[in-house]
Amino acid sequence: MPSLLFEQGAPGRGSTFVASPGAPTRYLDASLLRSDLPMPDLAEIEVARHFTELSHRNFSVDTNFYPLGSCTMKYNPKLNEAVAGFPGFTDLHPFAPDSGAQGALHLLWDMERSLSALFGMTEFSLMPAAGAHGEITAMLMAKKYFAQTGQGARDVCLVPDTAHGTNPASAAMVGYRVVSIPSTIRGRTDVAALKRKLDGSTAVCMMTNPNTLGLFEDDIIDITKAVHAAGGLMYYDGANANAIVGLVRPGDMGFDLLHLNLHKTFSVPHGGGGPGSGPVGANAKLAKYLPKPVVVRNDDGSFALDWERASSIGPVRAFWSHFLAIVRAYAYIIVHGEEGLRRNSQLAVLNANYVRAKIKDVLIVPYDDFCRHEFVCSAETLKKETGVRALDLAKGLLDAGIHAPTMYWPHVVPECLMIEPTETETREMLDNFSATIHVLVKQAHDDPASMAELPLHTPVRRVDEAQVGRQANKGIGLRWQPK
Amino acid sequence: MYTPHTDDEIRAMLAEIGAPSLEALSSPPRGLEIKESLGLPPALPEAEAYSHLKALAGKNDAARKVSFLGAGAYRHYQPPAVPWFAMRSEFLTAYTPYQAEASQGSLQAIFEWQTYVCLLTGMDVSNASLYDGATALVEGVIMAMHANGCKRVVVSQAVHPMYRAVLATYATGMGLEVIDLPYDAAGVTDLEGGADLARGASCVVVQSPNFFGCIEDVDAASKLAHDNDALSVCVTAEALSLAVLKTPRECGADIALGEAQSFGLPVGYGGPYVGFIASTKEHVRRLPGRLVGETTDVDGRRAFVLTLQGREQHIRRELATSNICTNQALCALIATVYLATVGATGLRAIATTNLRRARELSDALTSITGFSRAFGTPFFNEFCLRTPVPAEQLARALERRGILAGLPLSRFYPELTHHLLICATELTTPDDIRHLNSALAEETSRAVAAV
Amino acid sequence: MAQPADRLYTKEHEWVKIDGTNAVVGITDYAQSSLGDIVYVEMPRPGVAVERGKPVGVVESVKAVSDIYAPVSGTIVEVNAAVEEDQTKVNSDPYGDGWLVKLKLADADKTGLMDAVAYEELVKSL
């Protein structure tokens, strides 16, 4: 079992890495300096073994199948890694003069143009660091738009009950009251219920399409028309964009603002929880509120950062973008082109429907229609019959080397599993997954008590979350402590 | 191929699904289909895409020039061991560690990052990372607001201007009042002059070293905050300084936050970087984002797991402490591997070399007629040079000679027209300094003669 | 666990045991069971006035956070320090050692409160 870095090393195992410059007291008065630096000194071999061993205790796309709904765990091409590592990109300082950054600016401009075309928007900002960051950026833009058009009193944000938690959290951060819209038994947003909630206080309606149940919101035009008639704005959560790239555009559906997750749809690796990139797109009415600076092309064909954006909400990061993440997404786009991107979306939808067809006889799929890039199934019946829950099935999957799907969300489906295979999985892997689900469901019927013991073969088994939660609330157990 | 499907496979899969075609499954309702070409360039075969990107990278001349730019993004040595281990596929292509059994690698690494942040800042608890120093400032201010309910914050004008601009963006949307604390002739926050401003404030925010490179009296800032029942927030933009300077905790700060790009992350035209935030135990429940805690599994093994998720968006939704979901996990890992690789000895030596080179730079440049240090306050690796001709003009002239001499401060402080923010790190060589010295001297003579 | 008959209940799954002008408040067995292992309890401090039906604190478990609503109006007199130290008491003894706060009633208004039999019915229907 791996020890912590702080339990290893020894004084004297360290190296200076640069020529020994003497003590800091040569350059600064002792009153300004810290007395000690209680960090370990490790020999490089200790660092090597430590992190290599840690890497063996992880699932990853390169080692495991991750059917995580709404996460789009598709393969991360290594070409993207190579190009993102070019010194011409990594060594470029953000305050480099525009004239010395023409390659980077050209790339960003191309990216911005491509995204605008793909999603039917007038302009994009590439500044936000992640999807949630893009969301709050868009909320800030909406707020400014209403303030400037004398409608600052609008303070309600409509969010379907199937929405991702970041949606209401982002809305609340800018002071919007969040009103939840129910779904119908068909799994779509209840249009009548939504229309009843529209009034002069409506600011934004946040939706994703397809929704988190993997179903296309057929009434989307009706919805966007109604929200616009009430004076509100439509915001598109791009988390499920993998179902639509090259097939349909949020701009054409009537959305005014959107964010994308480059670390989902555009193959940028998840990194264990970031960094991502969350570009925000806006239509003609709202583009002027985008964060600044933006990248522009001058008449002479050169590229520049444009800070002269009088109506901009301002910057949302210290610097211009998650550039090295965007390089990866850009490489993905230019390798596939429009046709390739469209085909990827289609195959993502194919793979999801294939898995759905193969497991719906053992796990209830509440909605009759074909799904898009993801679908939801429920272990509720299994739970009633055997006591075995979605969580237990998920742990069983881990033993088979398959990461659990997204679980317990959306809340409208009890004991739910949200499954998104993505387009990069082979048929063999999908068959393997489906077969594993059948085996686990059978085990649940044959020996329900055994399911609570799963997983058996992972580096650690089920962990005590209550113990750590109680300690953490007192500020304990969140870091290593010297004895 | 990116996608593995053969035509035969597609046919067979469609048959099992019971759908007639890919189009039938994936097309949008009538009227919404994309009707014409979107105008994207045609797909490039991989080798051509590689060349295309190589050419774009080659067009960034500034990446090859000798650079004295800092201002919130720092050129430091990246030991090759760092990307070698941190960029392993098992880390790079992993998902957020919601399933503890499948993510002990990522989780332990975050726990180690949290520990490092606490050791460096002197704080009790730290989170799993934020997007960058600027958004960390926003989150820190929100924490203070939740702690005492005040919506008024006092921020030094010597805090990084882009951090302040980001705070202003959020403040407008959140109904926050941000009061500026001016800086003085010494290039540090005028705490005495601004004492009245702190009354009724939620927190007092200073950065040290500040944007001008000057080391602030954080003890005094903390006292001002506490005298007014406000929290003391200390911002760090150059994380390497934490290796040698008195910790924010030792200076009385309640919340320490900032940017850790200096720990092994490339400047990369602005990102991705990695923000950190840490506080005293008292504020643990107000910390935004993910937290990793230590526990045991059913067999009694030590295990790590995401904890206090009740604060986060996926559970608390509109009542969450923040909306943050994806953070900067891999960047925090890079920083953790960096700190493990260099260790205390290496970090201290690197930081001290920064001190040394910056002083060699300062001595060299202030020996040119007409040049002086703008502020007498001690500095870490960055300082403000007072120039005899406008700094913008000099910077442009030096650019033409292949040197990025620093950031003219007039860009953010219109009153500071003859001020150049200049930085030296362990990568700055005596040759670089000599080169800059002679170039500056020549260009200055030329500019002065032209007047 | 049967609901003790010596107290009243709310539809938000709080209980209140009234004795003259004093009251003790906690959450029901159904609530603790739905939440799972409780890791944190936050209640208003002594001296704070609370209003019937308004959220006054939170009970947090590993997977959920639940608002606690004041079943009656009054002023907080005491918070259960033992529970703040050890939240497991709320799970193991929600009607006894797992009490949350004691308060002084502001009025005798029992709107929204139901007896053990009615609450039992409610729980059965869920």
Side-chain angles (χ1 to χ4, degrees), chain B residues 201-219:
Chain B
S202 172
C203 57
V204 173
V205 183
V206 296
Q207 176 181 318
S208 187
N210 66 23
F211 188 66
F212 307 134
C214 301
I215 297 169
E216 293 266 6
D217 186 350
V218 183
D219 284 84

Side-chain angles (χ1 to χ4, degrees), chain B residues 368-393:
Chain B
I368 308 171
T369 316
F371 285 80
S372 60
R373 271 184 58 215
F375 307 117
T377 308
F379 56 96
F380 175 61
N381 64 1
E382 220 172 357
F383 59 91
C384 198
L385 196 64
R386 198 170 194 299
T387 57
V389 295
E392 278 274 357
Q393 192 184 336

Side-chain angles (χ1 to χ4, degrees), chain A residues 41 62 92 273 338 464 473, chain B residues 38 89 269 285 295 323 327 345:
Chain A
D41 268 328
D62 277 10
L92 187 63
E338 220 169 300
D464 187 346
N473 273 299
Chain B
L38 297 176
S89 270
Y269 204 47
R285 285 185 58 81
T295 186
N323 73 339
N327 49 358
T345 301

Side-chain angles (χ1 to χ4, degrees), chain C residues 25-82:
Chain C
V25 175
I27 63 169
T28 65
D29 181 54
Y30 176 83
Q32 73 76 18
S33 161
S34 314
L35 281 166
D37 290 313
I38 290 167
V39 300
Y40 186 73
V41 173
E42 190 175 84
M43 286 288 131
R45 299 285 102 200
V48 170
V50 298
E51 200 186 315
R52 164 184 317 98
K54 292 271 178 349
V56 294
V58 286
V59 172
E60 189 175 310
S61 71
V62 164
K63 55 178 176 154
V65 181
S66 214
D67 286 310
I68 304 299
Y69 297 87
V72 289
S73 298
T75 308
I76 306 287
V77 163
E78 190 187 337
V79 178
N80 190 346

